[in-house]
Amino acid sequence: VLYKESVGTGTPTPITPEMERVKRNQEICSSVLYKENIGKATPTPVTPEMERVKRNQEIISSVLYKENVGKVTPTPVTPEMERVKRNQEIISSVLYKENLGRATPTPVTPEMERVKRNQEHISSVVYKEGLGKATPTPVTPEMERVKRNQEHISSVLYKEHLAKGTPTPMTPEMERAKRNQENISSVLYSDSFRKQVQGKAAYVLDTPEMRRVRETQKHISTVKYHEDFEKSKGSFTPVVTDPITERVKKNMQDFSDISYRGIQRRVVEMERKRVDQDQENLTG
């Protein structure tokens, strides 16, 4: 009391996050020092009586906790809450299975198979009894498409799980049957095409929006063509020079020189003069 009387009035300061952190650190340090001052103890075995007392204490604590809970406002169980609850049950089931120890496998007898099938039938009947009345919905083309996609996905997954098979040789009889099946499929496809599509035109409304899009596409194509032309203008495509190409190039150059300079005519004249000179030498 005298201590508090000598204390004057102070200025209150707000509790900042830093002060909260320091306070928690002080509490942790006090707990550590308290544990360091505890001496060594003698461990005692946990007896069934101690287990029973511990469970009773937990039950009493749970009852007192529930008594102290005030009135609450009930909330409806939404589909999201149902989904979370199911996920929690699945997680609990997985954790429960992880904590199981090793078990002794027992053979599956015909009697066990019969009981299992009966349980499945009973579960199916009870499940159907719990179903309420439903409103039938028409099967739309979108639903048909989704159904076909699901069948394709199921087929792909089924094929992935298949084991390796034994290849069989393709005999002429199998080849003939395969061709017949292809011909039959082609005939059926052609018949359905003629009945459903052939002779019928697809009418599309030529709206101002479609005309605008068509004009825009033409402009984009023209701009793209000119852009590519400007980029490629003045460039060349390099080719590999091999000995054959070099020889052909040299021959073409020689032919061009002969045609341009008139060398062929001079060669013919020199050849004629040489023949004439040979004749004169023989006669002289």
Side-chain angles (χ1 to χ4, degrees), residues 162-209:
L162 288 178
K164 294 183 179 179
T166 304
T168 57
M170 185 68 71
T171 61
E173 182 65 19
M174 294 173 68
E175 288 285 344
R176 185 183 64 79
K178 184 178 178 182
R179 285 196 300 273
N180 290 340
Q181 288 295 328
E182 291 175 354
N183 294 333
I184 293 170
S185 300
S186 177
V187 171
L188 294 176
Y189 172 75
S190 300
D191 289 342
S192 63
F193 175 77
R194 281 193 295 270
K195 291 178 182 178
Q196 297 178 8
V197 180
Q198 192 174 11
K200 296 180 180 179
Y203 297 98
V204 180
L205 296 177
D206 190 8
T207 59
E209 181 66 19

Side-chain angles (χ1 to χ4, degrees), residues 80-186:
E80 180 66 17
M81 294 172 68
E82 288 286 342
R83 185 183 65 80
V84 173
K85 184 178 178 181
R86 285 196 300 274
N87 291 340
Q88 289 294 329
E89 291 175 355
I90 294 169
I91 293 170
S92 299
S93 175
V94 172
L95 295 176
Y96 170 74
K97 292 179 181 178
E98 289 180 353
N99 295 325
L100 290 178
R102 296 183 180 178
T104 304
T106 57
V108 180
T109 61
E111 181 66 18
M112 294 173 68
E113 287 286 342
R114 185 182 65 81
V115 173
K116 184 178 179 181
R117 284 196 300 273
N118 291 339
Q119 288 293 330
E120 291 176 354
H121 294 325
I122 293 170
S123 300
S124 177
V125 172
V126 172
Y127 171 73
K128 292 180 180 178
E129 288 178 354
L131 291 177
K133 295 182 179 180
T135 304
T137 57
V139 180
T140 61
E142 180 66 17
M143 293 172 68
E144 288 287 341
R145 185 183 64 79
V146 172
K147 184 178 178 182
R148 285 197 300 273
N149 290 341
Q150 289 294 329
E151 292 175 355
H152 294 327
I153 293 170
S154 299
S155 176
V156 171
L157 294 176
Y158 170 74
K159 292 178 181 178
E160 287 180 353
H161 294 122
L162 288 178
K164 294 183 179 179
T166 304
T168 57
M170 185 68 71
T171 61
E173 182 65 19
M174 294 173 68
E175 288 285 344
R176 185 183 64 79
K178 184 178 178 182
R179 285 196 300 273
N180 290 340
Q181 288 295 328
E182 291 175 354
N183 294 333
I184 293 170
S185 300
S186 177

Side-chain angles (χ1 to χ4, degrees), residues 14-280:
I15 299 175
T16 61
E18 182 65 20
M19 294 173 68
E20 289 285 343
R21 186 182 64 80
V22 173
K23 184 178 179 181
R24 285 196 300 273
N25 291 339
Q26 289 293 330
E27 292 174 355
I28 294 169
C29 293
S30 300
S31 175
V32 171
L33 294 175
Y34 169 75
K35 292 180 180 179
E36 287 180 353
N37 294 328
I38 294 176
K40 295 182 179 179
T42 304
T44 57
V46 179
T47 61
E49 182 65 19
M50 294 174 67
E51 288 285 342
R52 185 181 64 80
V53 172
K54 184 178 178 181
R55 283 197 300 273
N56 291 338
Q57 289 293 330
E58 291 175 354
I59 294 170
I60 293 169
S61 300
S62 176
V63 171
L64 294 175
Y65 170 75
K66 292 180 180 178
E67 288 179 354
N68 294 326
V69 175
K71 295 182 179 180
V72 296
T73 304
T75 58
V77 180
T78 61
E80 180 66 17
M81 294 172 68
E82 288 286 342
R83 185 183 65 80
V84 173
K85 184 178 178 181
R86 285 196 300 274
N87 291 340
Q88 289 294 329
E89 291 175 355
I90 294 169
I91 293 170
S92 299
S93 175
V94 172
L95 295 176
Y96 170 74
K97 292 179 181 178
E98 289 180 353
N99 295 325
L100 290 178
R102 296 183 180 178
T104 304
T106 57
V108 180
T109 61
E111 181 66 18
M112 294 173 68
E113 287 286 342
R114 185 182 65 81
V115 173
K116 184 178 179 181
R117 284 196 300 273
N118 291 339
Q119 288 293 330
E120 291 176 354
H121 294 325
I122 293 170
S123 300
S124 177
V125 172
V126 172
Y127 171 73
K128 292 180 180 178
E129 288 178 354
L131 291 177
K133 295 182 179 180
T135 304
T137 57
V139 180
T140 61
E142 180 66 17
M143 293 172 68
E144 288 287 341
R145 185 183 64 79
V146 172
K147 184 178 178 182
R148 285 197 300 273
N149 290 341
Q150 289 294 329
E151 292 175 355
H152 294 327
I153 293 170
S154 299
S155 176
V156 171
L157 294 176
Y158 170 74
K159 292 178 181 178
E160 287 180 353
H161 294 122
L162 288 178
K164 294 183 179 179
T166 304
T168 57
M170 185 68 71
T171 61
E173 182 65 19
M174 294 173 68
E175 288 285 344
R176 185 183 64 79
K178 184 178 178 182
R179 285 196 300 273
N180 290 340
Q181 288 295 328
E182 291 175 354
N183 294 333
I184 293 170
S185 300
S186 177
V187 171
L188 294 176
Y189 172 75
S190 300
D191 289 342
S192 63
F193 175 77
R194 281 193 295 270
K195 291 178 182 178
Q196 297 178 8
V197 180
Q198 192 174 11
K200 296 180 180 179
Y203 297 98
V204 180
L205 296 177
D206 190 8
T207 59
E209 181 66 19
M210 293 182 68
R211 286 197 294 271
R212 186 185 64 79
V213 172
R214 189 164 58 244
E215 290 295 330
T216 305
Q217 289 294 329
K218 289 181 182 179
H219 294 320
I220 293 172
S221 300
T222 305
V223 171
K224 183 67 176 174
Y225 171 76
H226 284 290
E227 183 180 354
D228 295 339
F229 175 75
E230 291 295 332
K231 288 181 180 179
S232 61
K233 186 171 64 174
S235 61
F236 61 92
T237 304
V239 295
V240 180
T241 304
D242 54 354
I244 296 176
T245 306
E246 288 289 340
R247 182 176 60 79
V248 173
K249 184 178 179 181
K250 188 173 183 301
N251 291 338
M252 293 302 294
Q253 187 67 32
D254 294 339
F255 290 150
S256 298
D257 291 343
I258 290 171
S259 300
Y260 176 72
R261 298 177 183 178
I263 297 176
Q264 183 66 26
R265 187 174 62 255
R266 292 171 57 189
V267 169
V268 172
E269 291 177 356
M270 292 176 65
E271 185 66 21
R272 189 174 62 252
K273 289 180 180 180
R274 186 179 64 79
V275 173
D276 294 341
Q277 188 176 2
D278 291 341
Q279 291 292 335
E280 292 177 356

